[in-house]
Protein backbone atom coordinates (compact mmCIF):
# COMPACT_ATOMS: atom_id res chain seq x y z
CA UNK A 1 0.00 0.00 0.00
CA UNK A 2 1.83 3.28 0.95
CA UNK A 3 5.08 4.20 2.63
CA UNK A 4 3.05 5.36 5.63
CA UNK A 5 0.07 3.44 6.91
CA UNK A 6 -3.32 4.63 5.81
CA UNK A 7 -5.82 5.60 8.53
CA UNK A 8 -8.32 3.09 7.18
CA UNK A 9 -6.32 -0.10 6.86
CA UNK A 10 -3.25 0.59 8.95
CA UNK A 11 -1.33 -1.45 6.38
CA UNK A 12 2.15 -0.36 5.40
CA UNK A 13 2.69 0.20 1.77
CA UNK A 14 5.71 -1.34 0.13
CA UNK A 15 7.24 -0.41 -3.21
CA UNK A 16 6.07 -2.61 -6.03
CA UNK A 17 7.65 -6.05 -5.70
CA UNK A 18 9.85 -7.42 -8.43
CA UNK A 19 7.68 -10.51 -8.66
CA UNK A 20 4.32 -11.64 -7.43
CA UNK A 21 4.32 -12.34 -3.68
CA UNK A 22 1.33 -14.36 -2.54
CA UNK A 23 0.25 -13.85 1.04
CA UNK A 24 -1.91 -16.32 2.96
CA UNK A 25 -3.88 -14.75 5.83
CA UNK A 26 -5.45 -17.15 8.32
CA UNK A 27 -7.81 -15.50 10.79
CA UNK A 28 -8.97 -16.64 14.22
CA UNK A 29 -11.97 -18.48 15.56
CA UNK A 30 -10.82 -21.27 17.89
CA UNK A 31 -12.22 -24.62 16.77
CA UNK A 32 -13.48 -22.95 13.60
CA UNK A 33 -9.88 -23.15 12.41
CA UNK A 34 -10.86 -26.58 11.05
CA UNK A 35 -12.73 -24.74 8.29
CA UNK A 36 -9.44 -23.25 7.11
CA UNK A 37 -7.97 -26.74 6.93
CA UNK A 38 -10.72 -27.73 4.51
CA UNK A 39 -9.93 -24.76 2.26
CA UNK A 40 -6.21 -25.59 2.38
CA UNK A 41 -6.97 -29.23 1.58
CA UNK A 42 -8.78 -28.23 -1.59
CA UNK A 43 -5.93 -25.91 -2.61
CA UNK A 44 -3.44 -28.71 -2.03
CA UNK A 45 -5.42 -31.06 -4.22
CA UNK A 46 -5.86 -28.50 -6.99
CA UNK A 47 -2.40 -26.90 -6.73
CA UNK A 48 -0.13 -29.54 -5.15
CA UNK A 49 3.10 -27.63 -5.84
CA UNK A 50 1.76 -24.28 -4.67
CA UNK A 51 4.26 -22.10 -2.83
CA UNK A 52 3.11 -19.32 -0.55
CA UNK A 53 6.07 -17.15 0.48
CA UNK A 54 4.20 -14.97 3.00
CA UNK A 55 2.02 -16.52 5.70
CA UNK A 56 0.32 -14.79 8.62
CA UNK A 57 -1.85 -16.31 11.30
CA UNK A 58 -3.76 -15.26 14.38
CA UNK A 59 -5.44 -17.37 17.05
CA UNK A 60 -6.37 -20.76 15.53
CA UNK A 61 -4.98 -19.45 12.27
CA UNK A 62 -1.58 -19.24 13.97
CA UNK A 63 -1.64 -23.00 14.51
CA UNK A 64 -2.39 -23.61 10.85
CA UNK A 65 0.12 -20.99 9.69
CA UNK A 66 2.92 -22.44 11.83
CA UNK A 67 2.25 -25.93 10.49
CA UNK A 68 2.20 -24.93 6.82
CA UNK A 69 5.21 -22.62 7.17
CA UNK A 70 7.39 -25.16 8.97
CA UNK A 71 6.54 -28.34 7.04
CA UNK A 72 9.53 -29.78 5.15
CA UNK A 73 7.50 -31.24 2.30
CA UNK A 74 5.28 -29.91 -0.47
CA UNK A 75 2.19 -27.82 0.12
CA UNK A 76 0.12 -30.92 -0.61
CA UNK A 77 1.94 -32.93 2.04
CA UNK A 78 1.71 -30.13 4.59
CA UNK A 79 -2.04 -29.73 4.06
CA UNK A 80 -2.62 -33.50 4.25
CA UNK A 81 -0.86 -33.76 7.60
CA UNK A 82 -2.70 -30.71 8.91
CA UNK A 83 -6.00 -32.26 7.90
CA UNK A 84 -5.11 -35.49 9.72
CA UNK A 85 -4.21 -33.50 12.83
CA UNK A 86 -7.53 -31.67 12.99
CA UNK A 87 -9.62 -34.69 11.96
CA UNK A 88 -8.21 -36.69 14.89
CA UNK A 89 -8.43 -33.87 17.41
CA UNK A 90 -10.54 -34.17 20.54
CA UNK A 91 -11.38 -31.84 23.40
CA UNK A 92 -8.86 -33.56 25.68
CA UNK A 93 -6.09 -32.77 23.16
CA UNK A 94 -6.70 -29.04 23.61
CA UNK A 95 -7.66 -28.50 27.25
CA UNK A 96 -8.35 -30.44 30.42
CA UNK A 97 -12.12 -30.96 30.38
CA UNK A 98 -12.63 -33.56 33.11
CA UNK A 99 -14.84 -32.85 36.11
CA UNK A 100 -12.10 -32.48 38.79
CA UNK A 101 -10.15 -29.94 36.73
CA UNK A 102 -13.20 -27.84 35.86
CA UNK A 103 -14.57 -28.12 39.40
CA UNK A 104 -11.30 -26.96 40.94
CA UNK A 105 -11.16 -23.99 38.56
CA UNK A 106 -14.74 -23.02 39.45
CA UNK A 107 -13.92 -23.30 43.17
CA UNK A 108 -10.80 -21.14 42.86
CA UNK A 109 -12.70 -18.56 40.82
CA UNK A 110 -15.41 -18.37 43.48
CA UNK A 111 -12.84 -18.03 46.26
CA UNK A 112 -11.08 -15.30 44.34
CA UNK A 113 -14.30 -13.31 43.91
CA UNK A 114 -15.42 -13.82 47.51
CA UNK A 115 -12.07 -12.75 48.95
CA UNK A 116 -12.56 -9.18 47.79
CA UNK A 117 -8.80 -8.82 47.58
CA UNK A 118 -8.60 -8.73 51.38
CA UNK A 119 -7.57 -12.33 51.99
CA UNK A 120 -5.05 -14.57 50.28
CA UNK A 121 -6.79 -16.24 47.35
CA UNK A 122 -5.68 -18.84 44.81
CA UNK A 123 -4.51 -17.59 41.45
CA UNK A 124 -6.94 -18.11 38.58
CA UNK A 125 -5.39 -17.76 35.13
CA UNK A 126 -8.23 -19.00 32.95
CA UNK A 127 -11.30 -21.20 32.91
CA UNK A 128 -9.49 -23.96 31.02
CA UNK A 129 -5.98 -25.43 31.25
CA UNK A 130 -4.30 -25.80 27.85
CA UNK A 131 -1.22 -27.83 28.70
CA UNK A 132 -2.53 -30.67 26.46
CA UNK A 133 -2.46 -28.31 23.47
CA UNK A 134 1.10 -27.22 24.26
CA UNK A 135 2.23 -30.85 24.35
CA UNK A 136 0.41 -31.62 21.10
CA UNK A 137 1.93 -28.67 19.27
CA UNK A 138 5.40 -29.42 20.59
CA UNK A 139 5.15 -32.85 18.97
CA UNK A 140 3.28 -32.07 15.75
CA UNK A 141 5.24 -28.93 14.88
CA UNK A 142 8.51 -30.86 15.32
CA UNK A 143 9.94 -28.20 17.60
CA UNK A 144 13.47 -28.38 18.96
CA UNK A 145 13.64 -26.96 22.49
CA UNK A 146 10.40 -25.16 21.61
CA UNK A 147 11.72 -23.53 18.43
CA UNK A 148 9.91 -24.14 15.13
CA UNK A 149 13.09 -25.03 13.26
CA UNK A 150 11.21 -26.00 10.10
CA UNK A 151 10.44 -22.33 9.43
CA UNK A 152 14.12 -21.37 9.38
CA UNK A 153 14.89 -24.34 7.11
CA UNK A 154 12.21 -23.24 4.63
CA UNK A 155 13.50 -19.66 4.71
CA UNK A 156 17.00 -20.88 3.86
CA UNK A 157 15.61 -23.02 1.03
CA UNK A 158 13.85 -20.01 -0.45
CA UNK A 159 10.46 -21.61 0.05
CA UNK A 160 9.38 -18.82 2.41
CA UNK A 161 9.90 -15.07 2.59
CA UNK A 162 8.30 -14.36 5.95
CA UNK A 163 5.95 -15.77 8.58
CA UNK A 164 4.08 -13.64 11.10
CA UNK A 165 2.07 -14.68 14.16
CA UNK A 166 0.00 -12.03 15.91
CA UNK A 167 -0.47 -11.73 19.67
CA UNK A 168 -1.81 -9.17 22.14
CA UNK A 169 0.43 -8.04 24.97
CA UNK A 170 -1.50 -8.05 28.24
CA UNK A 171 1.49 -6.29 29.77
CA UNK A 172 1.50 -3.21 27.48
CA UNK A 173 -1.84 -3.45 25.69
CA UNK A 174 -0.20 -3.45 22.25
CA UNK A 175 -0.78 -5.71 19.27
CA UNK A 176 2.54 -7.49 18.73
CA UNK A 177 3.36 -9.17 15.42
CA UNK A 178 6.19 -11.70 15.73
CA UNK A 179 8.02 -11.93 12.40
CA UNK A 180 10.51 -14.51 11.18
CA UNK A 181 11.78 -13.87 7.68
CA UNK A 182 14.58 -12.79 5.37
CA UNK A 183 16.85 -9.97 6.50
CA UNK A 184 15.29 -7.53 4.02
CA UNK A 185 11.79 -8.06 5.42
CA UNK A 186 10.74 -4.72 6.97
CA UNK A 187 9.46 -4.23 10.48
CA UNK A 188 6.97 -1.54 11.42
CA UNK A 189 5.75 0.42 14.39
CA UNK A 190 2.33 2.06 14.50
CA UNK A 191 0.19 3.35 17.39
CA UNK A 192 -0.55 0.34 19.62
CA UNK A 193 0.96 -2.00 16.99
CA UNK A 194 4.52 -3.19 16.72
CA UNK A 195 6.39 -5.85 14.75
CA UNK A 196 9.22 -7.78 16.41
CA UNK A 197 11.79 -9.94 14.62
CA UNK A 198 12.23 -13.32 16.31
CA UNK A 199 12.62 -17.06 15.88
CA UNK A 200 9.13 -18.44 16.28
CA UNK A 201 8.41 -21.00 18.99
CA UNK A 202 5.55 -23.09 20.31
CA UNK A 203 4.98 -20.35 22.90
CA UNK A 204 4.28 -17.80 20.17
CA UNK A 205 1.63 -20.12 18.73
CA UNK A 206 0.15 -20.77 22.18
CA UNK A 207 0.01 -17.05 22.93
CA UNK A 208 -1.69 -16.19 19.63
CA UNK A 209 -4.31 -18.89 20.25
CA UNK A 210 -5.00 -18.01 23.90
CA UNK A 211 -8.72 -17.15 23.80
CA UNK A 212 -9.31 -14.50 26.48
CA UNK A 213 -10.78 -15.72 29.76
CA UNK A 214 -10.96 -19.31 28.55
CA UNK A 215 -7.27 -20.02 27.79
CA UNK A 216 -4.41 -18.78 29.99
CA UNK A 217 -2.01 -16.06 28.87
CA UNK A 218 1.48 -17.13 27.80
CA UNK A 219 4.74 -15.63 28.99
CA UNK A 220 7.27 -14.64 26.32
CA UNK A 221 10.32 -12.89 27.71
CA UNK A 222 9.18 -10.61 30.51
CA UNK A 223 5.64 -10.01 29.25
CA UNK A 224 2.35 -11.89 29.07
CA UNK A 225 0.50 -12.39 25.80
CA UNK A 226 -2.91 -13.57 24.67
CA UNK A 227 -5.00 -13.99 21.54
CA UNK A 228 -3.77 -11.74 18.75
CA UNK A 229 -7.27 -10.94 17.53
CA UNK A 230 -8.04 -8.74 20.53
CA UNK A 231 -6.34 -5.61 19.15
CA UNK A 232 -5.84 -6.57 15.52
CA UNK A 233 -7.78 -3.76 13.84
CA UNK A 234 -6.47 -4.57 10.33
CA UNK A 235 -6.02 -8.33 9.77
CA UNK A 236 -4.58 -7.84 6.27
CA UNK A 237 -1.97 -5.36 7.47
CA UNK A 238 0.86 -7.78 8.42
CA UNK A 239 0.79 -9.50 5.02
CA UNK A 240 0.85 -6.12 3.27
CA UNK A 241 3.77 -4.93 5.37
CA UNK A 242 5.67 -8.11 4.49
CA UNK A 243 5.32 -7.39 0.77
CA UNK A 244 2.33 -9.44 -0.39
CA UNK A 245 0.70 -8.15 -3.56
CA UNK A 246 -1.81 -10.97 -3.79
CA UNK A 247 -3.62 -12.00 -0.61
CA UNK A 248 -5.76 -15.07 -0.05
CA UNK A 249 -7.57 -14.66 3.27
CA UNK A 250 -9.54 -17.48 4.88
CA UNK A 251 -12.16 -16.23 7.31
CA UNK A 252 -14.24 -18.40 9.64
CA UNK A 253 -17.16 -15.98 9.75
CA UNK A 254 -20.41 -16.68 7.91
CA UNK A 255 -21.62 -13.58 6.06
CA UNK A 256 -25.29 -13.35 6.96
CA UNK A 257 -27.72 -11.53 4.72
CA UNK A 258 -29.56 -8.56 6.18
CA UNK A 259 -32.67 -10.71 6.46
CA UNK A 260 -30.76 -13.37 8.39
CA UNK A 261 -29.06 -10.76 10.57
CA UNK A 262 -32.45 -9.34 11.61
CA UNK A 263 -33.66 -12.69 12.99
CA UNK A 264 -33.59 -12.75 16.80
CA UNK A 265 -31.22 -15.34 18.28
CA UNK A 266 -32.73 -15.16 21.78
CA UNK A 267 -36.18 -14.45 23.21
CA UNK A 268 -35.29 -13.74 26.86
CA UNK A 269 -32.63 -11.72 28.65
CA UNK A 270 -29.28 -12.44 26.92
CA UNK A 271 -27.34 -15.20 28.70
CA UNK A 272 -23.55 -14.95 29.15
CA UNK A 273 -23.02 -17.25 26.15
CA UNK A 274 -24.87 -14.82 23.86
CA UNK A 275 -22.93 -11.80 25.11
CA UNK A 276 -19.60 -13.62 24.93
CA UNK A 277 -20.40 -14.83 21.41
CA UNK A 278 -21.09 -11.31 20.16
CA UNK A 279 -17.94 -9.98 21.84
CA UNK A 280 -15.80 -12.75 20.36
CA UNK A 281 -17.27 -12.22 16.90
CA UNK A 282 -16.55 -8.51 17.12
CA UNK A 283 -12.97 -9.16 18.20
CA UNK A 284 -11.99 -12.10 16.02
CA UNK A 285 -14.28 -12.39 13.03
CA UNK A 286 -15.87 -9.11 11.94
CA UNK A 287 -12.75 -7.05 11.22
CA UNK A 288 -11.61 -9.03 8.18
CA UNK A 289 -14.73 -7.90 6.31
CA UNK A 290 -14.14 -4.24 7.14
CA UNK A 291 -10.46 -4.45 6.23
CA UNK A 292 -11.23 -6.18 2.93
CA UNK A 293 -13.77 -3.50 2.05
CA UNK A 294 -11.26 -0.74 2.72
CA UNK A 295 -8.58 -2.47 0.67
CA UNK A 296 -10.88 -2.90 -2.29
CA UNK A 297 -11.90 0.77 -2.09
CA UNK A 298 -8.25 1.85 -2.12
CA UNK A 299 -7.60 -0.49 -5.08
CA UNK A 300 -10.32 1.24 -7.06
CA UNK A 301 -8.84 4.64 -6.28
CA UNK A 302 -5.34 3.52 -7.31
CA UNK A 303 -6.61 2.19 -10.62
CA UNK A 304 -7.69 5.72 -11.51
CA UNK A 305 -4.21 7.14 -10.83
CA UNK A 306 -1.32 6.77 -13.34
CA UNK A 307 1.25 4.31 -12.03
CA UNK A 308 3.97 6.96 -11.92
CA UNK A 309 1.87 9.14 -9.62
CA UNK A 310 0.97 6.50 -7.01
CA UNK A 311 3.81 7.46 -4.64
CA UNK A 312 4.91 3.85 -4.22
CA UNK A 313 1.43 2.51 -3.61
CA UNK A 314 0.14 -0.47 -5.52
CA UNK A 315 -3.17 -2.31 -6.00
CA UNK A 316 -3.30 -5.57 -4.07
CA UNK A 317 -5.30 -8.48 -5.41
CA UNK A 318 -7.52 -9.94 -2.67
CA UNK A 319 -9.68 -13.03 -2.41
CA UNK A 320 -11.53 -13.90 0.80
CA UNK A 321 -12.91 -17.42 1.32
CA UNK A 322 -15.58 -17.69 4.01
CA UNK A 323 -18.09 -20.30 5.27
CA UNK A 324 -21.28 -20.76 3.31
CA UNK A 325 -23.01 -21.94 6.50
CA UNK A 326 -23.37 -20.40 9.94
CA UNK A 327 -20.85 -22.38 11.98
CA UNK A 328 -22.39 -21.08 15.19
CA UNK A 329 -25.79 -22.55 14.42
CA UNK A 330 -24.20 -25.77 13.19
CA UNK A 331 -22.51 -26.42 16.54
CA UNK A 332 -25.85 -27.15 18.26
CA UNK A 333 -26.10 -30.43 16.35
CA UNK A 334 -22.88 -31.71 17.95
CA UNK A 335 -23.12 -30.21 21.45
CA UNK A 336 -24.72 -33.29 23.12
CA UNK A 337 -21.52 -35.31 22.50
CA UNK A 338 -19.26 -32.98 24.46
CA UNK A 339 -17.51 -34.29 27.62
CA UNK A 340 -20.15 -34.22 30.40
CA UNK A 341 -18.34 -31.81 32.73
CA UNK A 342 -17.51 -29.35 29.96
CA UNK A 343 -21.03 -29.59 28.56
CA UNK A 344 -22.39 -28.86 32.05
CA UNK A 345 -20.20 -25.75 32.29
CA UNK A 346 -21.13 -24.38 28.84
CA UNK A 347 -24.83 -24.97 29.41
CA UNK A 348 -24.44 -23.01 32.63
CA UNK A 349 -23.32 -20.09 30.45
CA UNK A 350 -26.55 -20.38 28.47
CA UNK A 351 -25.40 -22.01 25.24
CA UNK A 352 -28.80 -23.69 24.90
CA UNK A 353 -30.66 -20.41 25.31
CA UNK A 354 -29.48 -19.03 21.95
CA UNK A 355 -29.96 -20.51 18.50
CA UNK A 356 -26.43 -19.46 17.45
CA UNK A 357 -24.01 -20.25 20.31
CA UNK A 358 -20.95 -18.71 18.66
CA UNK A 359 -18.77 -18.95 21.77
CA UNK A 360 -19.35 -22.71 21.87
CA UNK A 361 -18.34 -23.03 18.20
CA UNK A 362 -14.93 -21.62 19.15
CA UNK A 363 -14.47 -24.18 21.93
CA UNK A 364 -16.07 -27.17 20.18
CA UNK A 365 -12.98 -29.31 19.63
CA UNK A 366 -15.22 -32.30 19.05
CA UNK A 367 -14.03 -34.69 16.37
CA UNK A 368 -17.28 -34.97 14.41
CA UNK A 369 -17.82 -31.20 14.41
CA UNK A 370 -14.26 -30.52 13.26
CA UNK A 371 -14.56 -33.09 10.48
CA UNK A 372 -17.74 -31.43 9.27
CA UNK A 373 -16.04 -28.02 9.22
CA UNK A 374 -13.20 -29.46 7.14
CA UNK A 375 -15.73 -30.83 4.65
CA UNK A 376 -17.53 -27.47 4.43
CA UNK A 377 -14.21 -25.72 3.86
CA UNK A 378 -13.41 -28.05 0.96
CA UNK A 379 -16.87 -27.61 -0.54
CA UNK A 380 -16.71 -23.82 -0.29
CA UNK A 381 -13.27 -23.65 -1.87
CA UNK A 382 -14.37 -25.90 -4.72
CA UNK A 383 -17.41 -23.69 -5.27
CA UNK A 384 -14.98 -20.77 -5.74
CA UNK A 385 -12.73 -22.74 -8.10
CA UNK A 386 -12.99 -20.20 -10.94
CA UNK A 387 -12.11 -17.30 -8.65
CA UNK A 388 -9.17 -19.23 -7.22
CA UNK A 389 -7.93 -20.05 -10.71
CA UNK A 390 -8.05 -16.37 -11.62
CA UNK A 391 -6.29 -15.48 -8.37
CA UNK A 392 -3.42 -17.89 -9.04
CA UNK A 393 -3.21 -17.10 -12.76
CA UNK A 394 0.23 -16.01 -14.04
Amino acid sequence: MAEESTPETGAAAQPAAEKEQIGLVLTGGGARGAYQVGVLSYLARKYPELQVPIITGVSAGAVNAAHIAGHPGTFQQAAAELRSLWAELSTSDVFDADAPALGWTALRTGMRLMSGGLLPAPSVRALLETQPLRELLTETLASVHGELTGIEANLLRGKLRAVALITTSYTTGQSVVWVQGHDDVPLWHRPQRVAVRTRLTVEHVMASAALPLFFPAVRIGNAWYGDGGIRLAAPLSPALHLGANRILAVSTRFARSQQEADVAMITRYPPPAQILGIVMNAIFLDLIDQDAMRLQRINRLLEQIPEGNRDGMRPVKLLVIRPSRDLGRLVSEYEPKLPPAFKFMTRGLGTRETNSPDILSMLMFQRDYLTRLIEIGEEDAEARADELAAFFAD
Side-chain angles (χ1 to χ4, degrees):
M1 305 275 309
E3 287 296 329
E4 297 298 329
S5 63
T6 64
E8 294 86 357
T9 66
Q14 300 297 326
E18 293 182 1
K19 63 178 181 178
E20 294 291 336
Q21 298 281 2
I22 296 175
L24 176 64
V25 174
L26 300 175
T27 64
R32 296 187 183 194
Y35 174 83
Q36 297 174 347
V37 178
V39 174
L40 295 174
S41 295
Y42 171 80
L43 292 177
R45 188 171 72 249
K46 189 71 174 178
Y47 309 98
E49 301 300 325
L50 177 65
Q51 290 195 21
V52 183
I54 297 170
I55 303 175
T56 73
V58 59
S59 192
V63 175
N64 295 333
H67 179 92
I68 296 295
H71 195 280
T74 64
F75 184 79
Q76 186 177 47
Q77 293 168 333
E81 288 189 19
L82 186 62
R83 181 190 176 108
S84 296
L85 170 65
W86 278 86
E88 296 171 5
L89 206 60
S90 65
T91 304
S92 60
D93 292 322
V94 180
F95 52 80
D96 196 344
D98 60 21
L102 294 177
W104 176 233
T105 298
L107 178 62
R108 286 185 299 164
T109 302
M111 293 172 63
R112 183 80 178 183
L113 293 173
M114 295 300 293
S115 72
L118 299 176
L119 300 174
S123 174
V124 180
R125 298 194 171 191
L127 295 177
L128 302 168
E129 174 53 56
T130 55
Q131 183 59 27
L133 177 60
R134 178 177 281 103
E135 295 172 358
L136 176 67
L137 293 178
T138 298
E139 178 183 354
T140 57
L141 296 178
S143 67
V144 178
H145 303 300
E147 182 182 334
L148 307 183
T149 55
I151 293 177
E152 182 64 22
N154 284 334
L155 287 168
L156 292 173
R157 292 168 53 194
K159 184 178 176 181
L160 282 175
R161 171 171 168 77
V163 182
L165 303 183
I166 301 96
T167 64
T168 299
S169 172
Y170 290 145
T171 304
T172 67
Q174 296 183 97
S175 176
V176 180
V177 182
W178 303 93
V179 177
Q180 185 170 354
H182 292 167
D183 292 340
D184 64 339
V185 167
L187 298 182
W188 60 96
H189 191 183
R190 300 289 184 266
Q192 295 301 319
R193 293 184 290 124
V194 61
V196 178
R197 196 180 303 278
T198 190
R199 284 180 175 266
L200 294 170
T201 68
V202 170
E203 296 306 291
H204 291 100
V205 181
M206 289 293 297
S208 184
L211 285 169
L213 299 180
F214 290 95
F215 293 177
V218 176
R219 186 167 187 169
I220 301 174
N222 296 320
W224 292 93
Y225 297 88
D227 199 298
I230 297 174
R231 298 212 67 158
L232 186 61
L236 303 176
S237 175
L240 291 166
H241 276 292
L242 296 173
N245 44 30
R246 295 193 188 199
I247 295 179
L248 174 63
V250 186
S251 172
T252 60
R253 178 187 182 276
F254 170 68
R256 293 185 294 169
S257 66
Q258 188 58 52
Q259 183 178 6
E260 291 169 323
D262 289 338
V263 175
M265 291 181 283
I266 55 172
T267 56
R268 297 184 294 174
Y269 186 84
Q274 177 69 8
I275 297 172
L276 283 170
I278 292 174
V279 170
M280 293 296 185
N281 275 338
I283 292 174
F284 303 116
L285 305 180
D286 293 346
L287 293 176
I288 185 69
D289 297 324
Q290 300 169 23
D291 208 23
M293 187 179 300
R294 287 190 289 263
L295 178 60
Q296 290 165 347
R297 185 180 299 123
I298 292 172
N299 279 343
R300 288 194 294 270
L301 290 173
L302 287 174
E303 289 169 359
Q304 300 175 33
I305 301 174
E307 187 171 348
N309 297 331
R310 292 176 182 172
D311 194 25
M313 299 178 72
R314 69 186 188 280
V316 175
K317 195 168 186 176
L318 173 67
L319 178 60
V320 180
I321 304 291
R322 66 179 72 255
S324 59
R325 295 188 56 180
D326 188 333
L327 305 186
R329 291 178 181 271
L330 180 65
V331 76
S332 298
E333 300 176 19
Y334 301 88
E335 185 264 359
K337 297 181 181 179
L338 279 170
F342 182 62
K343 179 169 58 179
F344 183 81
M345 183 191 80
T346 57
R347 288 183 176 181
L349 293 174
T351 54
R352 303 196 78 184
E353 298 172 39
T354 171
N355 59 23
S356 185
D358 288 322
I359 187 61
L360 184 58
S361 72
M362 297 183 184
L363 297 169
M364 187 72 169
F365 293 94
Q366 188 73 18
R367 190 166 299 174
D368 48 1
Y369 177 66
L370 299 177
T371 300
R372 183 65 187 121
L373 296 195
I374 293 173
E375 293 171 351
I376 294 173
E378 285 189 289
E379 293 165 2
D380 289 350
E382 187 165 11
R384 307 281 296 277
D386 291 343
E387 294 173 79
L388 285 166
F391 178 85
F392 290 119
D394 306 325

